[in-house]
Amino acid sequence: MGGMGGMGGMGGMGGMPGMMPGMGMNMLGGMPSMMGGMGMPGMMPGMNMGAAGLPMAPNMGGGCGGFVGSPKGMGKGGKGGDKKKQVTRRGKKGGQDRANSPTDAADVGDDDPNRSEVLNMVRREGTTKTKVTLSAAMPYALEFSKDQFGSRFLQSKLDECSPEEREQVFSSIKSQISALAGDVYGNFVVQKYFDIGTVDQRKEMVNELCPFIVKLASETHGCRVIQKAIQHVPRESQLQIAAKLKEDVAACIESMHGNHVIQKCIEQMPPDSVTFIIAAIEADPQKMACHMYGCRVVQRLLEHCGPEQLQGMLNRISINIERLAMDMYGNYVVQHMLEHGRVEDKREIIKVVERNIVEFSKNKCSSNVVEKAVEIATVGEHAALLEAERSSLMFTVIGDPNNPNSPLKQMMDDRFGNFIVQRMIEHARGPERERLHQTLQQSATLLQRSAHGKHILNALKKEQAS
């Protein structure tokens, strides 16, 4: 996955590979949409609609969805679906938290005698047109929080009310914070308080949530609340949350919702606070690197932690590069190692690519690794230190211009390999560039007969004209 290729990752408030960590609509509130579309490894920009049309908060992973690519995307652009892509989710704060809630009182049905009259009024008149005040709704704050229209009403009023009124509403719902966090509508009110509440209110909410952290982290709505908490609470409260997640961190990593919470920990907490996550990955790095959601967590670690902190994990992953490169999720980890790993990791990966160049180039997953290797060895952070490996790789691919079965000629008309040839045209230098151009020009007649070949010729003409 090119992007998962960055996958990454696969994430949603947190993004997957191969599947990736990327792509499409999330299931039940969706995950970094994988499957094409979040919050699995990936799902959509801004706010998503969950199953049954339930509103979902923006910017958070949870549910099925795509990868938070790398890094931030997967697949190869313009390949007509030959490669899956990873999409990261993005959203805006404030009003967008309510974007999926109805703005008017359409289709709400008759008044329900079991509801308070104040809530029935809001539902009849619409949340944006009602004359009901926050003071009038205050005694029914808990009821409002659990209602589709009432939740939206509260979120809107909390944006504009006084600190004293916010404290009154908070006092009314505080004892039920954990229940609201897992509620389809109530979770938005809890998230709102993490956005706009005082430091003390945020701390109190974490205290209320703590006994249920692991359970909520693995739920569609609860995982979004926990992510929001991690993002906004002070360090001491983050450590409280981390201590609870540590009790079952492996299960969270492998959860379609929980993995986004773990990614948020890595993104928001200091590196020395996520050692419990590193330890869980090190227990079985091969399994995690090839896991639909585990691969995203590995990618986030590579992005946010130093090589010395990840030495054990990197050493164990490096011994199985060949298998990971061809895995639908593992290939994203290998690509991330090329981008964020140690120089020795990059050298080893490039050598593995060179030894398996034809097989890797014709494989949907590993062809992305080959492209990334060519790019990183030419323009990456350690490109100057990888010159020898880059040159060796290039000449191995080009082979003997007179050999009809050279790696380059096997790749030219392959649906995946042709993209690598185009990338080589872009990055070739000096003598290798001359030999590459000569070989391709000798094959121009053959290339002109195929769709893949025409793309290569166009790339060659563009490069020569630049």
Side-chain angles (χ1 to χ4, degrees):
M1 329 176 129
M4 261 197 127
M7 200 183 134
M10 254 147 178
M13 225 178 146
M16 181 178 256
M19 82 173 53
M20 241 159 87
M23 344 158 176
M25 293 297 293
N26 294 332
M27 297 166 36
L28 296 177
M31 263 186 89
S33 251
M34 271 196 89
M35 301 187 115
M38 159 199 180
M40 214 176 148
M43 185 173 191
M44 92 241 107
M47 300 211 40
N48 299 322
M49 292 299 293
L54 303 179
M56 295 169 56
N59 253 351
M60 301 200 159
C64 300
F67 257 49
V68 155
S70 328
K72 313 248 178 216
M74 345 169 84
K76 304 187 178 190
K79 290 196 177 180
D82 280 346
K83 303 267 180 160
K84 297 185 180 180
K85 296 186 178 181
Q86 167 183 13
V87 178
T88 51
R89 297 144 81 224
R90 293 288 182 270
K92 297 180 181 179
K93 289 186 178 181
Q96 282 215 2
D97 280 339
R98 304 184 299 273
N100 288 321
S101 300
T103 57
D104 226 324
D107 300 324
V108 297
D110 298 332
D111 288 352
D112 186 338
N114 293 318
R115 294 192 199 105
S116 64
E117 177 54 29
V118 178
L119 179 55
N120 276 327
M121 285 180 64
V122 170
R123 292 172 64 88
R124 283 197 304 270
E125 298 170 357
T127 56
T128 60
K129 299 178 181 178
T130 184
K131 295 179 182 179
V132 172
T133 64
L134 180 59
S135 296
M138 199 87 69
Y140 311 99
L142 187 59
E143 178 190 20
F144 268 62
S145 297
K146 295 180 179 181
D147 180 84
Q148 187 175 24
F149 291 84
S151 173
R152 192 175 191 284
F153 172 88
L154 284 182
Q155 292 174 65
S156 177
K157 295 301 182 183
L158 288 171
D159 275 331
E160 57 193 37
C161 70
S162 68
E164 293 73 25
E165 289 175 312
R166 286 180 188 164
E167 178 59 34
Q168 285 182 278
V169 174
F170 181 76
S171 297
S172 300
I173 66 174
K174 183 176 71 171
S175 64
Q176 295 298 313
I177 288 293
S178 60
L180 292 176
D183 183 78
V184 62
Y185 305 120
N187 80 91
F188 291 104
V189 176
V190 180
Q191 289 187 58
K192 175 61 69 175
Y193 267 101
F194 277 119
D195 275 331
I196 66 173
T198 65
V199 172
D200 287 340
Q201 287 170 346
R202 293 169 181 169
K203 288 181 178 179
E204 288 184 67
M205 288 194 290
V206 170
N207 290 335
E208 292 291 332
L209 294 171
C210 258
F212 312 97
I213 291 289
V214 174
K215 177 178 180 292
L216 289 169
S218 298
E219 295 178 353
T220 304
H221 309 297
C223 76
R224 297 173 180 275
V225 170
I226 304 305
Q227 290 177 74
K228 183 75 79 170
I230 293 168
Q231 184 176 350
H232 290 289
V233 299
R235 175 78 184 278
E236 60 190 273
S237 295
Q238 287 183 335
L239 294 178
Q240 271 184 275
I241 295 172
K244 288 297 181 180
L245 292 172
K246 184 178 180 179
E247 296 174 4
D248 204 2
V249 63
C252 284
I253 291 173
E254 296 178 2
S255 163
M256 69 186 296
H257 303 298
N259 82 90
H260 295 287
V261 172
I262 300 301
Q263 290 183 64
K264 185 59 64 175
C265 288
I266 298 168
E267 293 167 353
Q268 297 291 328
M269 296 182 184
D272 61 1
S273 298
V274 299
T275 53
F276 71 102
I277 300 173
I278 297 173
I281 296 293
E282 288 181 339
D284 196 344
Q286 304 301 325
K287 174 187 174 184
M288 289 300 186
C290 292
H291 190 275
M292 178 184 292
Y293 309 128
C295 70
R296 304 182 201 176
V297 173
V298 176
Q299 290 178 75
R300 297 295 84 72
L301 289 173
L302 287 166
E303 291 170 0
H304 295 276
C305 298
E308 63 288 342
Q309 191 177 8
L310 301 177
Q311 185 173 351
M313 181 188 83
L314 290 170
N315 288 343
R316 295 190 62 188
I317 290 178
S318 293
I319 63 177
N320 208 5
I321 293 299
E322 184 172 343
R323 175 194 167 198
L324 292 176
M326 301 186 76
D327 183 81
M328 97 186 281
Y329 305 121
N331 82 91
Y332 294 104
V333 171
V334 178
Q335 291 184 63
H336 246 54
M337 287 178 68
L338 281 167
E339 191 165 354
H340 300 282
R342 305 167 296 186
V343 175
E344 55 263 42
D345 298 324
K346 298 177 183 183
R347 286 194 176 116
E348 178 58 30
I349 294 170
I350 294 172
K351 290 177 182 177
V352 172
V353 168
E354 184 176 347
R355 289 198 301 267
N356 300 275
I357 187 61
V358 173
E359 182 180 15
F360 275 17
S361 297
K362 294 184 175 184
N363 178 273
K364 180 177 183 178
C365 298
S366 55
S367 62
N368 288 293
V369 174
V370 180
E371 281 194 55
K372 180 64 74 171
V374 171
E375 174 190 345
I376 293 300
T378 307
V379 297
E381 176 187 2
H382 298 121
L385 300 174
L386 299 170
E387 177 58 32
E389 287 76 16
R390 187 191 70 79
S391 180
S392 178
L393 174 61
M394 288 288 202
F395 280 113
T396 295
V397 174
I398 298 170
D400 181 352
N402 298 316
N403 179 1
N405 202 38
S406 67
L408 178 62
K409 291 178 181 177
Q410 292 186 60
M411 294 158 56
M412 292 190 306
D413 197 36
D414 182 78
R415 63 172 180 158
F416 302 120
N418 82 91
F419 288 98
I420 297 168
V421 177
Q422 293 179 55
R423 186 56 61 92
M424 289 176 63
I425 292 172
E426 176 185 352
H427 293 298
R429 303 286 185 270
E432 70 199 28
R433 178 179 182 275
E434 295 178 12
R435 185 184 294 186
L436 176 62
H437 286 205
Q438 176 188 4
T439 303
L440 293 175
Q441 287 167 346
Q442 290 175 351
S443 304
T445 301
L446 181 63
L447 291 171
Q448 193 64 44
R449 295 173 185 169
S450 73
H452 300 316
K454 288 178 182 177
H455 291 309
I456 292 174
L457 289 176
N458 288 336
L460 184 60
K461 290 177 182 177
K462 182 178 178 181
E463 199 280 334
Q464 290 176 330
S466 62

